[in-house]
């Protein structure tokens, strides 16, 4: 197995522009991409690594300003890193300082290297014995350093394809890396609570000034609301189920209980697939699902019935059916999207640190929509089993399985976008536009559905009207499909940004020894990470699998916490330690547990 010594990550790369009268133009820019898949992180697995444009090099840079064999990075027997300019015609700058040819120039972790039009950052743990590093640091060109500072925050659209799949690295000695080791969580927690319980963001969710009684009171109020809404949902659906059982038999009740599970499970699998980097904890996914299934359903039901009765009294008997359908659809759109959106807004306000970006907004919206659709589909299949089972399967399962998740995701994605900007007016206007879009999309969808049903009932036996109604219902899925394409675009860009955040904000942690080189490369490639976690499950069992997952998630959580701070989030007042310190401590402890368990298992297998 090859050993990983360090990393070269691409900070800035050239881009060919359309040809001019003098030939191709080259413009330098930070890497922008659709998917976090390109090789922007190069793991150094040899003591000598060649860099150049030729394909025979260990690190290949597609840059016309880079020579075929441009430079070599060397690790000597004393653990010192050097970079060598291979020809006198090449230009290499380290932190803005040009280096001569054929002379080993010392490198230290986080140095910025410029070769041609490409900017790289060198990362390696435990860099030692670099002579003259302080003098060299003082010689950094000021203007060049300002350019680097401007470039680093702009890597939000980079992509990554890390090196070979790593193994679980050995642990580091405790106490390294400048940890602050005292705080309200200095006491040991049980392993089950640590791996399955609340995460670090939950520890900092509430003010430390809240006493134990207030915390228990808030928890009691929340559980009481959940229990009341669950009882109301159970009662409402019991009436529907009993009515279906008496009119259509047990088969209708069985269909109503099983068929709606198909779109719900499909949405859950989709969420698991798209939540690739900074994964959301299972208890928050469950909470949002229960909000849609238990809280949103009865609340929306009673509000809609109340508004419908008011509209029925206000509208005159001769009112147009189109107006009635429009008002009924608007009632459903506003009420349901408001109740579902309140769950997202509550999660965003209480657990802001866990609500990171557009990806999280889509994930939580999909879970709320799936819970809401599950109960709603139960009522549809229970009441329409005998007359329109095939139509309902096509309408609610085949075509419309992402209906409610799509509507709610309009608001959720825009709410997640507020984490990307410091502009106050964008933080207010963007979620409002997302909410309006969700309401209008939902209302228009219901309007077409309601009006088509009204026309069919008003013209019984008319095949022409029935055909037009069917075409209208099928075309009714075009706007949600277009919105889904827009959400897919936003999701892809958000996933690319997640990889860039990991790449950028864990760079210093590699230098400090908190994150290993292998882990740094692995965390930016979700499929390799999943493969590594499965290997831990197959070889060492369930509990070790939880440890490995927790280690990777803690490292990514540290990157996102540092990003939050860079985007203007304030420090946590009233706490002896900040989340960054707690993340670092947990990373070290988990790595120690992983190494100790693996050594114990290997010793046990050798003994047997």
């Amino acid at each position: 197995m090859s050993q990983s010594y360090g990393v070269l990550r691409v900070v800035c790369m050239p881009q060919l522009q359309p040809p001019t009268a003098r030939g191709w133009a080259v413009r330098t820019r930070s890497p922008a991409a659709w998917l976090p898949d390109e090789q922007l992180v190069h793991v150094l697995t040899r003591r000598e690594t060649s860099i150049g444009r030729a394909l025979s090099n260990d690190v290949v840079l597609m840059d016309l300003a880079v020579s075929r064999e441009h430079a070599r990075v060397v690790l000597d027997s004393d653990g010192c890193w050097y970079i060598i300019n291979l020809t006198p015609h090449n230009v290499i700058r380290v932190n803005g300082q040009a280096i001569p040819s054929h002379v080993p120039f010392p490198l230290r972790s986080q140095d910025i290297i410029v070769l041609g039009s490409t900017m790289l950052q060198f990362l390696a743990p435990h860099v030692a014995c670099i002579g003259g590093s302080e003098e060299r640091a003082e010689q950094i060109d000021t203007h060049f350093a300002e350019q680097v500072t401007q470039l680093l925050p702009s890597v939000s659209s980079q992509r990554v394809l890390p090196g070979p799949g790593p193994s679980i690295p050995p642990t580091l000695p405790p106490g390294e890396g400048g940890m602050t080791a005292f705080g309200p969580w200095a006491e040991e927690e049980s392993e089950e609570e640590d791996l399955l319980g609340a995460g670090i963001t939950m520890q900092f969710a509430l003010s430390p000034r809240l006493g134990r009684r207030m915390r228990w009171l808030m928890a009691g109020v929340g559980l009481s609301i959940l229990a009341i809404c669950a009882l109301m949902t159970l009662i409402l659906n019991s009436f529907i189920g009993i009515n279906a059982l008496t009119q259509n038999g047990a088969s209708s009740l069985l269909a109503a209980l099983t068929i709606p599970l198909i779109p719900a499970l499909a949405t859950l699998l989709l969420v698991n697939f798209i939540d690739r980097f900074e994964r959301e904890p299972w208890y928050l996914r469950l909470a949002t699902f229960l909000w849609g299934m238990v809280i949103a359903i009865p609340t929306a039901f009673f509000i809609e019935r109340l508004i419908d009765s008011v509209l029925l009294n206000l509208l005159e008997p001769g009112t147009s059916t189109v107006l009635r359908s429009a008002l009924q659809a608007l009632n459903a759109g506003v009420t349901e999207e408001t109740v579902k959106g309140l769950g997202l807004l509550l999660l965003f306000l209480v657990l802001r640190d866990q609500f990171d970006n557009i990806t999280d907004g889509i994930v939580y919206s999909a879970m709320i929509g799936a819970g809401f659709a599950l109960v709603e589909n139960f009522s549809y299949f229970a009441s329409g089993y005998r007359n329109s089972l095939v139509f309902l399967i096509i309408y609610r399962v085949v075509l419309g399985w992402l209906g409610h998740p799509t509507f709610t995701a309009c608001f959720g994605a825009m709410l997640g976008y507020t984490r990307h900007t410091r502009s106050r007016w964008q933080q207010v206007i963007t979620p409002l536009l997302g909410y309006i879009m969700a309401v209008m999309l939902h209302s228009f969808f219901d309007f077409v559905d309601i009006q088509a049903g009204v026309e069919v009932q008003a013209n019984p036996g008319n095949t022409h009207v029935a055909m037009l109604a069917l075409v209208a219902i099928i075309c009714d899925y075009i706007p949600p499909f277009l919105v889904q394409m827009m959400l897919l675009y936003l999701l892809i860009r958000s996933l690319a940004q997640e990889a860039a955040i990991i790449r950028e904000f864990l760079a210093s942690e590699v230098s400090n020894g908190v994150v290993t080189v292998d882990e740094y490369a692995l965390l930016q490639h979700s499929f390799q990470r999943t493969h590594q976690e499965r290997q831990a499950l197959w070889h060492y069992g369930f509990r070790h699998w939880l440890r490995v997952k927790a280690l990777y998630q803690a490292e990514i959580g540290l990157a996102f916490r540092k990003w939050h701070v860079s985007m203007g989030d304030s420090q946590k007042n009233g706490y002896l330690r900040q989340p960054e310190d707690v993340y670092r401590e947990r990373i070290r402890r988990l790595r120690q547990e992983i190494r100790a368990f693996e050594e114990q298992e290997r010793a046990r297998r050798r003994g047997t």
Side-chain angles (χ1 to χ4, degrees):
M1 182 181 297
S2 60
Q3 182 178 354
S4 300
Y5 298 102
V7 167
L8 284 174
R9 77 178 186 96
V10 178
V11 177
C12 187
M13 62 191 302
Q15 182 185 37
L16 287 176
Q17 300 298 310
T20 61
R22 297 182 179 181
W24 284 92
V26 178
R27 181 169 64 90
T28 301
R29 56 168 294 171
S30 58
W34 275 75
L35 294 173
D37 287 345
E38 288 198 354
Q39 192 163 350
L40 300 178
V41 170
H42 302 274
V43 181
L44 307 180
T45 58
R46 302 179 181 179
R47 288 187 171 270
E48 291 191 10
T49 302
S50 60
I51 307 174
R53 186 159 40 91
L55 298 179
S56 58
N57 290 283
D58 299 315
V59 177
V60 180
L61 300 179
M62 295 301 178
D63 182 353
L64 297 178
V66 173
S67 302
R68 294 179 60 83
E69 296 179 355
H70 201 107
R72 181 178 291 113
V73 176
V74 179
L75 173 64
D76 66 10
S77 58
D78 296 326
C80 303
W81 286 93
Y82 299 93
I83 186 170
I84 302 174
N85 189 346
L86 296 181
T87 66
H89 304 290
N90 295 340
V91 177
I92 300 178
R93 294 183 180 273
V94 177
N95 295 332
Q97 177 181 350
I99 66 173
S101 60
H102 301 293
V103 177
F105 190 84
L107 282 178
R108 59 179 178 177
S109 188
Q110 300 189 69
D111 275 353
I112 296 295
I113 307 170
V114 175
L115 295 86
S117 302
T118 303
M119 181 184 296
L120 306 172
Q121 185 180 32
F122 170 74
L123 301 172
H126 306 301
V127 178
C129 60
I130 301 181
S133 60
E134 296 299 331
E135 296 180 1
R136 179 162 59 86
E138 295 177 357
Q139 297 173 357
I140 297 177
D141 181 76
T142 305
H143 177 67
F144 183 82
E146 291 177 355
Q147 290 180 338
V148 173
T149 303
Q150 295 173 359
L151 278 169
L152 290 181
S154 68
V155 298
S156 61
S157 57
Q158 295 179 355
R159 298 172 289 180
V160 167
L161 180 60
S167 59
I168 303 301
T171 184
L172 295 172
E176 295 182 2
M179 285 286 300
T180 302
F182 301 96
W185 296 279
E187 62 275 4
E188 291 292 332
E189 296 179 353
S190 67
E191 184 177 2
E192 290 77 8
E193 291 177 354
D194 191 36
L195 297 179
L196 295 175
I200 293 176
T201 54
M202 296 293 291
Q203 298 177 7
F204 294 89
L206 300 177
S207 172
R209 298 182 180 88
L210 292 176
R212 184 179 297 271
R213 291 185 179 180
M214 180 58 66
R215 293 172 185 264
W216 279 108
L217 178 61
M218 295 173 62
V221 171
L223 291 176
S224 300
I225 295 175
L226 180 63
I228 293 172
C229 292
L231 181 61
M232 295 169 58
T233 303
L234 182 61
I235 293 174
L236 290 174
N237 287 277
S238 296
F239 285 119
I240 297 174
I242 294 173
N243 184 58
L245 184 62
T246 55
Q247 293 185 358
N248 302 323
S251 59
S252 63
L253 183 59
L254 181 62
L257 290 173
T258 56
I259 296 178
L261 293 176
I262 298 175
L265 292 176
T267 304
L268 177 60
L269 293 176
L270 179 63
V271 166
N272 286 333
F273 179 77
I274 67 178
D275 195 17
R276 296 167 54 184
F277 293 100
E278 204 286 312
R279 300 171 183 170
E280 302 314 300
W282 65 269
Y283 49 85
L284 289 183
R285 290 191 191 181
L286 178 61
T288 50
F289 185 82
L290 291 177
W291 180 279
M293 185 178 73
V294 175
I295 297 179
I297 280 288
T299 305
F301 175 81
F302 287 111
I303 294 177
E304 285 185 54
R305 294 301 179 272
L306 177 62
I307 295 178
D308 280 341
S309 62
V310 172
L311 292 176
L312 186 62
N313 294 329
L314 292 178
L315 296 177
E316 298 179 357
T319 305
S320 169
T321 58
V322 176
L323 179 60
R324 290 179 179 271
S325 299
L327 292 176
Q328 186 178 353
L330 187 62
N331 176 24
V334 172
T335 303
E336 294 179 11
E337 294 310 315
T338 300
V339 176
K340 290 188 293 182
L342 284 176
L344 282 174
L345 188 60
L346 180 64
L347 178 62
F348 180 82
L349 295 176
V350 175
L351 291 177
R352 179 179 172 85
D353 288 344
Q354 193 62 54
F355 207 118
D356 296 303
N357 52 14
I358 292 175
T359 304
D360 291 357
I362 295 176
V363 165
Y364 291 130
S365 299
M367 295 305 295
I368 290 179
F372 193 95
L374 177 64
V375 180
E376 189 178 65
N377 285 337
F378 170 80
S379 62
Y380 274 102
F381 279 93
S383 58
Y385 172 79
R386 174 174 296 180
N387 299 324
S388 54
L389 177 61
V390 176
F391 173 78
L392 286 174
I393 291 176
I394 298 175
Y395 178 68
R396 304 291 301 186
V397 177
V398 177
L399 295 178
W401 68 284
L402 278 178
H404 279 288
T406 300
F407 303 149
T408 312
C410 294
F411 175 61
M414 296 301 99
L415 189 62
Y417 175 78
T418 61
R419 302 293 274 148
H420 298 256
T421 177
R422 298 183 184 182
S423 174
R424 292 297 182 185
W425 72 268
Q426 289 185 3
Q427 292 176 353
V428 175
I429 296 298
T430 304
L432 181 60
L433 291 177
Y435 169 74
I436 294 175
M437 183 177 179
V439 169
M440 298 307 296
L441 185 66
H442 192 162
S443 300
F444 179 80
F445 184 88
D446 283 7
F447 167 73
V448 173
D449 182 28
I450 294 171
Q451 187 61 29
V454 169
E455 294 298 331
V456 171
Q457 292 179 359
N459 300 274
N462 191 326
T463 57
H464 180 68
V465 172
M467 183 60 64
L468 289 177
L470 181 61
V471 171
I473 290 175
I474 294 176
C475 294
D476 199 18
Y477 289 95
I478 295 178
F481 175 77
L482 296 177
V483 172
Q484 289 165 11
M485 294 300 100
M486 180 195 72
L487 293 174
L488 178 61
Y489 170 80
L490 295 176
L491 176 65
I492 292 173
R493 302 299 294 183
S494 181
L495 290 174
Q497 193 214 32
E498 288 189 10
I501 290 172
I502 298 169
R503 183 166 53 248
E504 171 64 26
F505 289 94
L506 286 185
S508 61
E509 305 301 330
V510 175
S511 304
N512 297 333
V514 176
V515 178
T516 67
V517 171
D518 284 335
E519 291 166 355
Y520 179 77
L522 176 70
L523 294 177
Q524 300 162 66
H525 197 283
S526 60
F527 295 113
Q528 287 191 13
R529 173 190 171 188
T530 302
H531 175 73
Q532 198 69 21
E533 292 169 349
R534 289 173 180 171
Q535 290 291 327
L537 176 63
W538 294 336
H539 292 293
Y540 296 103
F542 179 74
R543 182 166 295 182
H544 188 70
W545 173 67
L546 292 177
R547 292 192 193 100
V548 173
K549 289 185 62 177
L551 172 65
Y552 295 155
Q553 193 61 34
E555 291 171 334
I556 293 178
L558 174 60
F560 273 79
R561 170 59 190 170
K562 294 172 68 175
W563 176 60
H564 291 164
V565 174
S566 72
M567 292 299 294
D569 283 16
S570 60
Q571 294 293 321
K572 302 295 183 179
N573 297 325
Y575 292 93
L576 298 180
R577 294 188 298 173
Q578 291 300 307
E580 299 93 311
D581 298 324
V582 181
Y583 274 118
R584 293 187 181 102
E585 180 180 342
R586 189 180 190 194
I587 291 168
R588 295 182 186 277
R589 180 170 52 81
L590 285 170
R591 190 178 292 118
Q592 290 173 353
E593 293 175 359
I594 288 170
R595 182 184 183 186
F597 181 81
E598 289 185 347
E599 290 179 350
Q600 180 183 357
E601 283 296 303
R602 284 193 291 265
R604 184 182 63 83
R605 292 172 184 177
R606 285 195 299 266
T608 56

